[in-house]
Amino acid sequence: SFWVAGLAADAPQTLAEAKLSGRLVLVLGAEGAGLRRLAAETCDYLVRIPMSGAMESLNMSNAAAIALYELRRTYSAATA
């Protein structure tokens, strides 16, 4: 079984705050439009990457890289 986490700019908590663990699927939306409503509704968690006020969004490859880095950092800290 997997947990499903979607990246959404308006999510209530950051990826780090969510402290996700276990087997995880990461869902990313389209550049600009983000996650579609039905995709977001099927996620167990909605999380965001903290952004400064001047920057509204990242392109998908940058968002994926940051999210995977954070997940790896979090998982490494949990098993240390």
Side-chain angles (χ1 to χ4, degrees):
S1 171
F2 290 84
W3 292 106
V4 180
L7 285 181
D10 59 347
Q13 58 187 345
T14 67
L15 189 55
E17 291 167 345
K19 295 184 169 110
L20 302 173
S21 63
R23 294 164 44 140
L24 183 69
V25 174
L26 186 62
V27 179
L28 289 83
E31 293 180 20
L35 284 180
R36 292 186 178 189
R37 182 185 55 85
L38 291 176
E41 289 175 3
T42 61
C43 294
D44 298 305
Y45 301 96
L46 290 178
V47 294
R48 62 184 163 77
I49 296 171
M51 306 282 288
S52 68
M55 189 178 300
E56 291 182 17
S57 66
L58 298 169
N59 70 36
M60 190 184 312
S61 64
N62 288 335
I66 291 168
L68 292 172
Y69 172 82
E70 179 60 24
L71 288 171
R72 177 67 179 157
R73 189 185 68 79
T74 304
Y75 277 54
S76 294
T79 59

